[in-house]
């Protein structure tokens, strides 16, 4: 069974940076497409970023130019570097794994999910 564990969330002032990590156990990490989604209170789950097995990356419009997704197959880990954070980025951030690669921006494409990590941007 695939297990995903996120870490790196926390409280950061506007304009600050955070780096989220997601460690994957079980399965064949190098074959997974990996995605990051977020959910703010009272809102639906929003696509943030994704990276496929070939390291091609995808980003949601609201984070382009500020967030960077990467992966380290040797460590079974996917990262989300978040820069120039604003209060609108406050949410629970989830990583997810997909075995069948489509657009990578739809939550239904992903079979396995982490428990989430809280990111709060506030002064």
């Amino acid at each position: 069974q695939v297990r995903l564990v996120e870490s790196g969330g926390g409280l950061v002032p506007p304009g600050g940076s955070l780096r989220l990590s997601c460690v994957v156990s079980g399965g064949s990490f190098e074959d997974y497409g990996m995605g990051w989604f977020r959910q703010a209170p009272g809102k639906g789950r929003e696509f943030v970023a994704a990276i496929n097995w070939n390291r091609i990356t995808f980003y949601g419009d609201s984070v382009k130019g500020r967030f960077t997704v990467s992966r380290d197959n040797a460590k079974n880990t996917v990262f989300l570097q978040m820069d120039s954070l604003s209060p609108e980025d406050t949410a629970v951030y989830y990583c997810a794994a997909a075995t069948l690669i489509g657009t990578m921006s739809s939550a239904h494409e992903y079979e396995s999910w982490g428990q989430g990590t809280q990111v709060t941007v506030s002064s």
Side-chain angles (χ1 to χ4, degrees), residues 22-113:
C22 173
V23 178
V24 180
S25 58
S28 181
F29 177 77
E30 60 269 19
D31 294 332
Y32 292 145
M34 298 300 301
W36 287 96
F37 290 77
R38 66 186 182 186
Q39 188 163 14
K43 296 187 177 181
R45 194 159 291 192
E46 177 189 11
F47 170 69
V48 175
I51 183 168
N52 71 7
W53 62 271
N54 204 25
R55 301 181 188 276
I56 296 173
T57 57
F58 308 85
Y59 294 96
D61 288 341
S62 62
V63 307
K64 282 180 181 176
R66 300 188 299 123
F67 291 12
T68 303
V69 61
S70 61
R71 65 191 296 159
D72 184 340
N73 287 351
K75 297 181 178 179
N76 286 5
T77 303
V78 61
F79 303 98
L80 184 68
Q81 176 66 41
M82 305 187 295
D83 299 317
S84 302
L85 286 162
S86 72
E88 289 70 34
D89 295 313
T90 295
V92 177
Y93 283 70
Y94 301 89
C95 71
T99 54
L100 297 177
I101 306 302
T103 67
M104 298 198 70
S105 60
S106 296
H108 74 267
E109 297 181 61
Y110 296 83
E111 300 101 357
S112 304
W113 292 79

Side-chain angles (χ1 to χ4, degrees), residues 14-25:
S17 298
L18 278 177
R19 189 192 196 203
L20 305 183
S21 300
C22 173
V23 178
V24 180
S25 58

